[in-house]
Amino acid sequence: MHQNLEPQGNEALRSRAQQTLSSRVSDEQALRQLAEQAFSRGLEHIESQQQAEGCLLGEVQWCPVLTAQYVLTVHMTGGVVPPDRAARFIEHFVRWQNADGGWGMHAESPSYLFVSTLVYVALRILGQGPEAPLCRAARGFIDAQGGALRIPTWGKLWLAMMGLYEWSGVAPMPPELWTLPPSSPMYPGRMYCHTRLIYLGMSYLYAARFTAAGSELVDALRRELYAGSYFSVPFEAHRFDVAPCDVFEQPSRALRRLYGAGLLYERVQRRWLRRRAMAKVLERIVAHQRESRAAAISPVNGLLNTLALFHAGHADWAQSLEGANYWSWCDEEGERFNGAHSHTWDTAFAVQALSSGPASTRSRAFLGRAAQYLRAAQVHGEAKEADRDVRDGGFCFSDAHHQWPVSDCTGEALAAAAALARQGFDSLDEDGIRRACRFVLSRQNADGGWGSYERRRGGALFDRFNPSEMFGNCMTERSYVECTASCICGLIDAESSFGHAWEPRLRRDVAKAVREGTRFLRRTQRADGSWEGFWGVNYTYGTLFGVSGLLASGARADDAAIKAACRWLMSVRLPDGGWGESWRSCVEGRYLPHARSQVIMTAWALMTMLRARYDEAGAQRAIAQGIGLLVERQGSDGAWPKEGVAGTFFATAMHHYCAYKDYFSLWAIGLFLSRHEG
């Protein structure tokens, strides 16, 4: 399994840090000096990562299934992966293979049948023989889980398109649902955007029963994946059979009934209605691909859309396949497709991190280029694509390429713009600030919290029909602690720095939104003082945002909610003086410590307590020990080591946000130094 958990770096610095910090707090002046050195080195590293356009180009690293799906898509559209690129893909698969022969959902995950089966097929397409060590080990894992018959529904669909699973064994995905009126409670447009856009492509491909051309390779794979004759396999009997290793949420009784109705409908559906539904779905696919400049909202739905366009003989299919390369990433670990890029997200955080330290340390060159980037990254105009919310004025998680802005990315961009303005840099003009604020306001839900891409549309009914089996919390938008806090902070920072020119109505709208968002944060705090995260691991992350949002809204350091949160952080501190939370906290819904402290979680905890000016018994010692741990872990190049996964998506899809370790560590040290300077 691909991991890099050991600290690396300057041994002399580490030795000096360990000597000075033998008690971790024996010499405060020495700790401060080491922290200053660490901040300076970390600043130089982040500066070295800045791109020509002024952003940080971060990777959100997920798992090998995306790369496998790309390889399958190229094959099914009649293409061939060039040998040099195939070698890079294989290198990625080699590095991520687990000891049991399979591949997991993320870097620390046990193996999944879904990922392992699609990677196996991709390896065979790339020229690996069935008895090559990589393939032989993978087949051993697949067989141990009961074989490809037990792959989850999304995997069944991919295998069916390859001619490796019969469509009769795939759960129904009728495109006619897209012809329902938007007022219908089951209209797919009410779903969370990533989920509905994945099912948009799937529903077309299901209705078309798209199957790639047969070949000797397909015949060989049928023999390798199934015992006996492929044509004697009872695919229909295994339609809902899923290997336990892949199940996060069992299909509900309501979903099973809906599937039954769907199967009955498939027997009686009218061809003219099916053709009309497929045409409507294809029209949406074309619009989505064009408005996202062929990148789609993610590589998953982009590849499905490519196959739909290819089947339909649409002229856009080749451009769509090429557009998927927006998500590719090459480094010393090979080539892969990532879960996302994080240009704006990382840049906004890095600006705030660099601005947190003593004024004498701030890099004006970095901040000036970042200001130029933010000015260029704001989304302009409204979408023509169906079921879209307001997008004008927002900021995407990545750059503006795919035109899907997000609430918290816009909130953090506003906070970064305000930080830049305080230091004399112009990023967004007055109109840009107003438009960004209005975009943020457009994403607030009725409960006072903020959604991500959109407001919540679907009710609790949708959550009972989660068909993905492997994922959770994926059917509807909801309100998130992190998005709420980022939006509160961004709105308040924007008003503080730019609000003197605002019209009264915008001021009133912002004040009302902040009040309602603050109530949401207070209402969602857990009894132990923590907040549950949604986009990061997990309670440590949620608590950073919960406290930050309350402080931005005016809560004082002696506020009961703030103190309770800091006491909780103190209670989960690990024996080595840092903080670390396991990704299993997200899966099990309860706090679980990591085996050792993690620099990212340590930075989050330190930022929380430093912002809160927490000073109850033992707090200052704990902060000093945490800063000491960050100093010790820093490498000679100014970077911090890549440790455990810290991001999450759909409850089980953990991610490496690869820049988190650097700017959050820098941010915590900067707050520590600024406190001393003050």
Side-chain angles (χ1 to χ4, degrees), residues 151 170 184 187 234 249 276 427 527 564 572 657 663:
I151 197 171
V170 179
S184 168
Y187 176 60
E249 189 171 319
R276 190 179 78 172
S427 54
V572 297
Y657 284 72
Y663 57 68

Side-chain angles (χ1 to χ4, degrees), residues 164-178:
L164 300 174
Y165 208 100
E166 291 301 297
W167 280 106
S168 61
V170 179
M173 305 175 194
E176 286 82 358
L177 290 173
W178 292 95

Side-chain angles (χ1 to χ4, degrees), residues 118-235:
L118 296 192
V119 170
Y120 179 84
V121 174
L123 284 167
R124 295 286 284 112
I125 291 171
L126 294 174
Q128 295 287 295
E131 296 307 314
L134 207 59
C135 292
R136 188 171 61 251
R139 206 163 56 251
F141 171 78
I142 294 168
D143 291 345
Q145 309 313 310
L149 274 172
R150 308 191 75 192
I151 197 171
T153 298
W154 290 13
K156 287 177 166 66
L157 179 133
W158 276 94
L159 291 182
M161 292 191 294
M162 277 290 299
L164 300 174
Y165 208 100
E166 291 301 297
W167 280 106
S168 61
V170 179
M173 305 175 194
E176 286 82 358
L177 290 173
W178 292 95
T179 66
L180 294 173
S183 59
S184 168
M186 292 305 292
Y187 176 60
R190 293 176 175 271
M191 289 194 288
Y192 176 64
C193 57
H194 276 280
T195 305
R196 74 168 181 262
L197 289 169
I198 287 170
Y199 274 97
L200 182 71
M202 283 184 172
S203 67
Y204 179 94
L205 294 162
Y206 173 82
R209 302 300 196 269
F210 169 70
T211 307
S215 65
E216 291 183 5
L217 175 62
V218 169
D219 292 340
L221 282 166
R222 286 175 170 179
R223 292 191 297 271
E224 293 159 26
L225 292 174
Y226 303 100
S229 169
Y230 173 82
F231 298 101
S232 66
V233 176
F235 289 100

